[in-house]
Amino acid sequence: MNARQGFIGQSTERREDGRFLTGKGQYTDDISLQGQTYAWFLRSPYAHARIKKLDTAAAAKAEGVLGIFTGDDFKAVGGLPCGWLINSLDGSPMKEPKHPVLADGKVRYVGDRVAMVVAETLEQAKAAGALIEVDYEELKPVVDTAKAYNAAATAEPVHTEAPDNRCYIWGIGDKDGTDAAFKTAAHVTTLSFRNNRLIPNAMEPRCANASYDSNADNYTLYVSNQNPHVERLLMCAFVLGIPEHKMRVVAPDVGGGFGSKIYLYGEETAMVFASKSIKRPIKWTCDRSEAFLSDAHGRDHVTTAKLALDKDGRFLALRADTTANIGAYLSTFASCVPTILHATLLAGQYKTPKIYCEVSAVFTNTAPVDAYRGAGRPEATYLLERIVETAAHELGIDPAEIRRRNFITEFPYASPVGLTYDIGDYDATMRRAIELADVAGFPARRAASEAKGLKRGLGYSAYIEACGIAPSSVAGALGARAGLFEAGEVRVHPTGKVTIFTGSHSHGQGHETTFAQVVADKLGVPMDDISIEHGDTGKVLFGMGTYGSRSLAVGGTAIVKAVDKIIAKGKKIAAHLMEAADSDVIYEGGEFKVAGTDKKVPFASVALTAYVPHNFPHDKLEPGLNENAFYDPSNFTYPAGSYICEVEIDPATGKTRIERMTACDDFGNIVNPMIVDGQVHGGLAQGIGQALLEHGVYDTETGQLLTGSYMDYTMPRADDLPSFTVETAKGTPCTHNPLGVKGCGEAGAIGSPPAVINAICHALGIKDMPMPATPFAVWTAARSAATAAR
């Protein structure tokens, strides 16, 4: 418990859960406006085709139809923008073909938007959509990530601007130094693998409701989105040309995002445009089949990695070559995921002297690929932790020991790939994870499994991630086209009640609780006196939204800075009331006090006085008690941890059962341990889903999505998961934000996939196991291993 107030560090129950559990949450689909109409999107059935003819005449005459919009209506507007510029190794900027709101004469993936029908009811819109006649000239699609840049020889490129289908070829690190280090190596481990494509499946699908007010000449967009200010900025400034002050974006309760709701999509953009034309509000709710086709996907890397070691197992150099699939178009942050958010983390927790990574990003006729929980960090951790574990087994060194020999122990540490870690204690989390996982008892458990004809394995993973995605100076130098700060406003009412306005957006993280805990701790007022407002550009000063585990580290710090201003002004008012010097007034426990005396004034009295100017020197102070602040940190935060997975495999069926999953994380200071544990649990479930079950698969000949429903895309269920052992280490507080927090939202999804695959490889005595490790894949590997052993 915090010695001063006791709010920070407590597992306070989530305040927002009451409305969610009783069905009182308000999601975008719950909002119906006067004169509500409905949109339906005609989508391409082909992965790659020219639109030779698009006839909407019959559909336009259908009952209830108010308007039909096609790519021709959007020729004069901009394309959906990409927010991060990546330059190739030769200095040329990435290829950036227009990403049209609706298809502009060519479709580039199954599910691409061809037309939008607006009607009085959804049923009428769908019926009219069936009357639209489209004559397609089907083209050979480019689908396979690894072969995309060679496909131009046999297929028309996805975009003429990228004739070899490459968006960029980017590199980071010391190539010559890395090559030299490999020449001195006593041992080189090589591993080639694919990081499987994932399809986000938030509980609430994407949804939007757009309206235009002709009297005020402004727009309102309700949308299921993680960063409403960014949505408004991109749509207004880069696509539709609407003055930003003429548009309000509201993201109400949002049922999960995992990154897929960060981006500006064509659906809501088309609806805003059309709302002025038909002068009625337009609603669209994505159905699950549409979501599989059209939500931005995640991962999909093909990589070859090499690790050079000396005779004692110390790392000398790492080389990685990755081909990253970015899909048919550049999504909002697609370009930075396989580069800035991936390769800069390849040092991991290790003091590897030389690292070089080269990334080739390719366009394919598949759905756009962008950030998905972890965004580049899971791919980096998987690469590193798989090759480290493989090297350990090849050299006959215990996997935990080889990591400890190479851990960074002195901070700050400047990595060979551009980041500077401020603090950490990697050995501490590894030691504790080993204790919690009862590694000492593993041989006995393995023997018991073997006695039953089963295989048992143990896998490690030691991850680090860059969180608090914000340092504008760093991000800008690396290609970001916008600042990544955060804003907060603290409004103290005359009664002493407090309203917090934050640019961070909550869609499951529990901000209404944790932000209130921080403010209550700082001001010494009851949490019930504090309300949190977010997700509305009409109320909130500004904000860059929620992603990259940045909410508390960046958004929370902006709020703290605004609270500091409140306290500073309060001291001046209190000094007047107590006839003391400003410098003698201190604030603690919700009271302003004169140091060394018994004089004190409660916070509520100072708040009321602030709104009664004749009771304080208003010639020196403005009335009111309202402050705002922006915060742009000097560095990322660096959460880290050690995960250990123990699996039992039935070689006769390939069924893999996770017996134990242990996670020990260093998140710095913790505001609400219960919420942190919940975040880790959710991340572990998603990471295990990637390792064992989930895989977005396209037919390489036709470009059809083969995993377009839950019949084919397997999500983890409760019985696929063990009872997790999760512990947050005492931690090393972040050195550059006042809360000392680092971020926790993505850790579980980052650290768990390599731990699971390492455990399977250990159990079967094999070098590699592709993700997802389905029963068939494991059964096949087990048979091959048994044959090789014989």
Side-chain angles (χ1 to χ4, degrees):
M1 180 178 288
N2 183 286
R4 293 187 299 106
Q5 308 296 347
F7 293 103
I8 289 180
Q10 297 304 297
S11 291
T12 303
E13 291 186 0
R14 287 171 30 126
R15 303 197 304 173
E16 48 270 74
D17 284 352
R19 71 176 186 273
F20 295 143
L21 294 172
T22 57
K24 295 178 181 177
Q26 187 179 56
Y27 300 90
T28 300
D29 189 58
D30 294 323
I31 298 168
S32 290
L33 305 174
Q34 185 175 2
Q36 188 71 67
T37 69
Y38 298 85
W40 180 82
F41 287 88
L42 176 67
R43 298 183 182 276
S44 170
Y46 298 109
H48 200 190
R50 290 190 185 88
I51 300 174
K52 298 178 65 177
K53 180 182 178 182
L54 179 57
D55 187 348
T56 62
K61 296 175 184 177
E63 182 182 0
V65 172
L66 300 170
I68 298 178
F69 299 83
T70 67
D72 288 343
D73 296 296
F74 294 90
K75 286 188 179 297
V77 306
L80 306 180
C82 180
W84 209 293
L85 173 65
I86 296 297
N87 290 318
S88 287
L89 288 169
D90 62 5
S92 62
M94 64 188 186
K95 305 297 191 302
E96 201 167 356
K98 184 177 181 179
H99 186 175
V101 176
L102 296 176
D104 58 355
K106 191 177 185 184
V107 290
R108 294 179 170 88
Y109 65 99
V110 174
D112 204 353
R113 299 171 296 273
V114 175
M116 178 178 71
V117 181
V118 181
E120 295 285 356
T121 70
L122 178 60
E123 291 73 19
Q124 289 172 337
K126 288 182 177 180
L131 299 177
I132 297 175
E133 296 181 9
V134 187
D135 183 8
Y136 294 100
E137 178 190 349
E138 190 174 2
L139 304 171
K140 183 176 175 60
V142 178
V143 179
D144 193 312
T145 304
K147 299 176 181 178
Y149 65 91
N150 288 325
T154 58
E156 185 173 307
V158 181
H159 297 279
T160 56
E161 296 90 337
D164 61 356
N165 292 317
R166 281 194 173 105
C167 178
Y168 55 76
I169 303 174
W170 176 90
I172 191 171
D174 182 354
K175 184 178 186 299
D176 292 339
T178 300
D179 291 343
F182 268 88
K183 293 177 181 178
T184 68
H187 181 83
V188 173
T189 293
T190 301
L191 202 59
S192 296
F193 56 86
R194 178 188 294 269
N195 203 293
N196 44 320
R197 177 181 281 242
L198 302 178
I199 301 176
N201 280 279
M203 187 177 294
E204 177 206 24
R206 288 191 293 124
C207 183
N209 197 337
S211 63
Y212 173 72
D213 183 345
S214 58
N215 293 323
D217 187 30
N218 60 29
Y219 302 79
T220 299
L221 173 65
Y222 294 92
V223 62
S224 183
N225 184 267
Q226 297 176 218
N227 35 230
H229 282 91
V230 175
E231 172 98 356
R232 181 181 69 171
L233 173 64
L234 297 178
M235 188 184 297
C236 290
F238 297 97
V239 187
L240 299 182
I242 299 171
E244 202 171 354
H245 68 286
K246 288 290 186 179
M247 184 165 175
R248 177 189 176 203
V249 176
V250 182
D253 289 328
V254 173
F258 313 118
S260 68
K261 294 177 182 174
I262 295 173
Y263 324 117
L264 177 64
Y265 286 93
E267 287 87 356
E268 62 259 31
T269 307
M271 292 162 62
V272 169
F273 178 90
S275 67
K276 184 174 183 178
S277 175
I278 69 166
K279 298 180 174 55
R280 298 266 297 276
I282 306 170
K283 182 194 284 191
W284 167 76
T285 300
C286 184
D287 65 36
R288 192 60 68 179
S289 295
E290 278 186 296
F292 272 98
L293 292 172
S294 63
D295 287 2
H297 294 179
R299 315 289 194 255
D300 205 347
H301 288 191
V302 175
T303 297
T304 295
K306 296 182 179 182
L307 180 65
L309 305 93
D310 69 11
K311 61 181 179 61
D312 297 316
R314 289 183 171 81
F315 306 159
L316 301 176
L318 175 71
R319 168 76 192 237
D321 292 278
T322 289
T323 300
N325 191 340
I326 54 175
Y329 301 102
L330 278 168
S331 180
T332 307
F333 290 113
S335 57
C336 72
V337 173
T339 52
I340 307 307
L341 297 180
H342 167 71
T344 57
L345 272 299
L346 287 177
Q349 298 185 10
Y350 312 114
K351 49 191 176 188
T352 310
K354 298 294 181 182
I355 299 174
Y356 181 71
C357 178
E358 197 166 292
V359 177
S360 177
V362 293
F363 292 109
T364 63
N365 293 115
T366 64
V369 179
D370 208 315
Y372 175 72
R373 196 172 191 170
R377 281 72 54 86
E379 297 92 315
T381 298
Y382 188 80
L383 183 162
L384 190 57
E385 291 307 293
R386 282 290 294 116
I387 201 164
V388 166
E389 190 105 349
T390 303
H393 291 306
E394 288 179 350
L395 292 173
I397 302 174
D398 178 78
E401 174 57 28
I402 200 171
R403 289 174 168 86
R404 293 166 115 168
R405 289 182 192 179
N406 290 281
F407 277 157
I408 298 162
T409 56
E410 296 181 0
F411 296 88
Y413 175 78
S415 84
V417 278
L419 299 182
T420 299
Y421 306 163
D422 61 329
I423 196 168
D425 189 346
Y426 309 140
D427 192 62
T429 53
M430 177 60 78
R431 285 199 314 270
R432 183 57 179 153
I434 289 171
E435 293 173 6
L436 293 170
D438 185 24
V439 172
F442 173 75
R445 295 190 295 273
R446 190 177 205 182
S449 294
E450 289 176 350
K452 297 182 291 183
L454 304 176
K455 302 288 187 180
R456 186 175 285 255
L458 199 67
Y460 293 80
S461 173
Y463 79 91
I464 190 169
E465 57 168 328
C467 288
I469 302 298
S472 296
S473 58
V474 177
L478 295 173
R481 287 168 161 165
L484 292 172
F485 49 82
E486 197 49 86
E489 180 182 353
V490 178
R491 185 179 301 170
V492 180
H493 303 282
T495 57
K497 310 303 182 185
V498 182
T499 302
I500 305 298
F501 299 87
T502 174
S504 300
H505 185 276
S506 180
H507 42 279
Q509 294 86 351
H511 294 171
E512 293 174 36
T513 302
T514 51
F515 284 176
Q517 285 181 263
V518 169
V519 175
D521 190 86
K522 188 81 173 173
L523 288 179
V525 301
M527 282 183 62
D528 288 343
D529 288 355
I530 301 167
S531 63
I532 308 295
E533 296 282 346
H534 65 90
D536 188 342
T537 65
K539 294 180 180 179
V540 177
L541 177 66
F542 199 78
M544 299 305 293
T546 295
Y547 42 84
S549 300
R550 71 192 303 268
S551 296
L552 198 55
V554 187
T557 297
I559 292 170
V560 167
K561 288 168 68 70
V563 169
D564 287 340
K565 293 180 181 180
I566 293 287
I567 293 172
K569 183 174 182 179
K571 286 180 178 180
K572 296 179 186 296
I573 297 172
H576 175 77
L577 294 176
M578 294 185 288
E579 299 180 334
D582 299 357
S583 58
D584 291 335
V585 177
I586 59 174
Y587 184 72
E588 59 183 17
E591 296 175 324
F592 294 92
K593 303 175 182 178
V594 178
T597 75
D598 60 357
K599 290 184 176 182
K600 58 185 179 181
V601 179
F603 177 76
S605 296
V606 170
L608 179 60
T609 302
Y611 290 91
V612 187
H614 59 269
N615 285 344
F616 69 91
H618 56 275
D619 57 325
K620 297 181 180 179
L621 292 172
E622 294 178 351
L625 201 54
N626 187 93
E627 299 287 350
N628 60 63
F630 285 78
Y631 177 61
D632 193 347
S634 58
N635 194 2
F636 298 105
T637 63
Y638 297 98
S642 292
Y643 288 9
I644 301 176
C645 178
E646 188 170 325
V647 302
E648 187 176 65
I649 297 171
D650 183 347
T653 64
K655 173 65 176 177
T656 300
R657 178 179 175 83
I658 298 178
E659 292 289 333
R660 297 177 178 219
M661 190 75 201
T662 302
C664 184
D665 299 285
D666 177 1
F667 296 135
N669 291 336
I670 303 297
V671 173
N672 188 310
M674 178 190 69
I675 288 178
V676 168
D677 284 353
Q679 286 286 302
V680 175
H681 279 230
L684 290 172
Q686 283 184 285
I688 291 169
Q690 176 175 14
L692 295 182
L693 303 167
E694 298 183 49
H695 193 189
V697 180
Y698 285 89
D699 184 281
T700 56
E701 294 299 319
T702 66
Q704 293 293 327
L705 181 65
L706 301 179
T707 53
S709 76
Y710 292 134
M711 294 294 289
D712 303 294
Y713 188 92
T714 310
M715 298 284 287
R717 304 183 307 180
D719 59 357
D720 293 311
L721 308 172
S723 180
F724 302 130
T725 300
V726 172
E727 182 174 290
T728 302
K730 183 177 180 181
T732 53
C734 176
T735 61
H736 53 79
N737 70 58
L739 293 169
V741 296
K742 295 183 179 181
C744 68
E746 298 160 301
I750 293 171
S752 55
V756 173
I757 299 301
N758 285 338
I760 293 173
C761 290
H762 182 228
L764 299 180
I766 58 177
K767 182 175 181 177
D768 191 28
M769 166 58 64
M771 290 194 293
T774 62
F776 179 74
V778 172
W779 176 80
T780 302
R783 284 175 59 87
S784 297
T787 300
R790 287 195 297 269

